[in-house]
Amino acid sequence: MITTNIDLAKQVLINNGIIAIPTETVYGLAGNTFSEIAVNKIFALKKRPHYNPLIVHIKSAAWLNELACDIPDAAMLLANRFWPGPLTLLLNKKPNIPDLVTAGKPTVAVRVPNHSLTLILLEQLDFPLSAPSANPFGSISPTSAAHVYNYFKDNLEVILDGGECNNGVESTIIGFENNQPIVYRLGAISLEDIEALIGKVNFHTKNDINPAAPGMLSRHYSPNTTTYLTDDLVEMITLHPNKKIGLLLFKELVVNNSVLQQEILSKNGDLSEAARNLYAALHRLDKLNLDIIIAERLPDNGLGKTINDRLKRAVEK
Ligand code: TXA
Ligand code: MG
């Protein structure tokens, strides 16, 4: 049921149930971090492999000390600057976090989401909420309550409706090795903004066999429709004659008769707006029974880097 009833949401969570929550990035599938029953329900409903750990959502940075230890100074700088907000920190975990949540890893992923409804809910709970994005494993993340409902129908007693997600792409994930910050996943906070605060950060290298952050799995965030990513739209369209084509474009329509549908991410070329619209546009295109979706590569700076990262994974077979 899609609802704004926080009391109902709270009741389900207290009884080891799971619900969908709005955040500023994407909707999450949430349960009590300390309840193995609830956390197992999340993995089962999402069909998520157990090697893929969950992000723990807390109401404020004051909760950090209950969950994590050996917190680097740079982590505190980031938390103070970006929380509540789309930043996830990977920190050494305390023993009270169930192994199920962290997939047996020594680290826990933590963030304070920036959505008023979810913050009010967290405020009323005496436990944090573990929540992956509220989509079946591998598919496009949901940025509205309706997206969540389309995926899970009435298997979710409560989908807390907080409107459309403001940022529209997942949180940026930063971990630490020998106190050096490492980016595990590009996200709604740009690399430039992170580096302006804590200096140069390195990338975690991708590894599909033993993914340290399986958001980095090559195929992820994927529509059902075959999708291509290109710098040269006209060439890509020409390569696919007699196909039902949909385009995912940055700011300008393309004049071409063989194209059935076009989605513009931001008329003004604003990368934040493009990120906010990305998944909804992909959801719409994916519903049209097209033969292919062709996505235009965005400028590779700021949130353009994050959007290109998601599009690259969306096109993987
Ligand atoms: O914006 C977001 O981060 C959204 C909202 C709901 O908060 N959540 C989200 O969760 O994107 P999910 O599960 O779809 O992606 C979380 C990523 C996964 O790639 C997971 O592998 C990684 O975080 N992760 C979680 N805990 C980790 C850990 N201890 N070490 C390494 N990676 C971790
Ligand atoms: Mg996800």
Side-chain angles (χ1 to χ4, degrees):
M1 178 173 77
I2 296 180
T3 174
T4 53
N5 187 335
I6 292 187
D7 286 335
L8 184 61
K10 185 175 153 189
Q11 234 29 68
V12 174
L13 290 168
I14 287 171
N15 292 322
N16 297 317
I18 62 174
I19 67 166
I21 52 165
T23 83
E24 78 283 31
T25 59
V26 301
Y27 276 70
L29 204 53
N32 177 354
T33 292
F34 301 125
S35 159
E36 298 214 356
I37 298 174
V39 175
N40 267 318
K41 284 182 186 167
I42 295 173
F43 279 97
L45 186 60
K46 195 178 155 81
K47 298 201 168 62
R48 180 166 177 135
H50 280 276
Y51 62 71
N52 195 341
L54 307 181
I55 295 176
V56 176
H57 297 71
I58 55 177
K59 59 187 157 198
S60 75
W63 263 71
L64 263 187
N65 289 325
E66 317 251 338
L67 311 175
C69 45
D70 319 319
I71 303 173
D73 290 345
M76 283 321 297
L77 271 177
L78 288 166
N80 289 331
R81 166 76 176 77
F82 293 114
W83 281 354
L87 168 82
T88 294
L89 293 172
L90 291 181
L91 300 167
N92 288 341
K93 83 176 193 86
K94 286 208 164 152
N96 58 342
I97 313 277
D99 281 340
L100 195 57
V101 171
T102 62
K105 290 177 195 297
T107 50
V108 59
V110 195
R111 82 180 193 96
V112 180
N114 190 14
H115 192 291
S116 53
L117 214 53
T118 294
L119 284 172
I120 292 170
L121 175 65
L122 282 167
E123 205 51 64
Q124 295 186 19
L125 298 171
D126 57 8
F127 48 82
L129 292 175
S130 285
S133 52
N135 51 278
F137 185 62
S139 51
I140 310 168
S141 300
T143 52
S144 70
H147 290 160
V148 181
Y149 184 78
N150 287 339
Y151 280 137
F152 299 114
K153 301 289 180 322
D154 293 314
N155 288 322
L156 276 175
E157 200 180 323
V158 170
I159 298 171
L160 203 52
D161 189 356
E164 287 176 20
C165 302
N166 238 324
N167 292 72
V169 290
E170 295 81 354
S171 58
T172 303
I173 304 183
I174 307 281
F176 300 87
E177 273 164 34
N178 305 321
N179 265 333
Q180 294 305 305
I182 314 266
V183 182
Y184 280 70
R185 179 176 72 183
L186 290 167
I189 296 175
S190 71
L191 210 50
E192 288 88 336
D193 284 352
I194 302 271
E195 290 189 331
L197 187 68
I198 57 170
K200 181 102 191 98
V201 293
N202 290 318
F203 275 86
H204 190 270
T205 40
K206 185 175 99 175
N207 178 349
D208 272 9
I209 315 255
N210 179 17
M216 299 172 63
L217 282 171
S218 306
R219 185 182 162 79
H220 219 91
Y221 315 107
S222 301
N224 292 318
T225 316
T226 304
T227 303
Y228 297 94
L229 177 61
T230 184
D231 291 310
D232 190 339
L233 289 163
V234 176
E235 182 196 50
M236 193 57 97
I237 294 167
T238 319
L239 281 173
H240 295 90
N242 309 317
K243 296 271 190 219
K244 285 189 278 173
I245 299 177
L247 299 181
L248 184 69
L249 303 165
F250 181 30
K251 51 184 179 181
E252 275 163 36
L253 291 172
V254 167
V255 183
N256 192 305
N257 287 336
S258 52
V259 170
L260 280 187
Q261 182 68 1
Q262 312 198 30
E263 288 280 352
I264 301 278
L265 292 178
S266 169
K267 274 191 195 136
N268 302 322
D270 176 310
L271 290 168
S272 304
E273 185 182 26
R276 181 157 59 242
N277 291 329
L278 176 69
Y279 290 141
L282 268 176
H283 278 283
R284 283 193 296 270
L285 288 172
D286 202 24
K287 275 197 174 159
L288 295 178
N289 283 316
L290 299 162
D291 294 323
I292 60 170
I293 297 170
I294 299 175
E296 175 180 27
R297 198 187 313 275
L298 268 65
D300 208 37
N301 61 276
L303 294 185
K305 260 197 169 53
T306 301
I307 297 171
N308 288 336
D309 168 84
R310 298 303 190 270
L311 290 174
K312 269 184 238 159
R313 295 174 206 283
V315 307
E316 285 282 333
K317 299 290 171 306

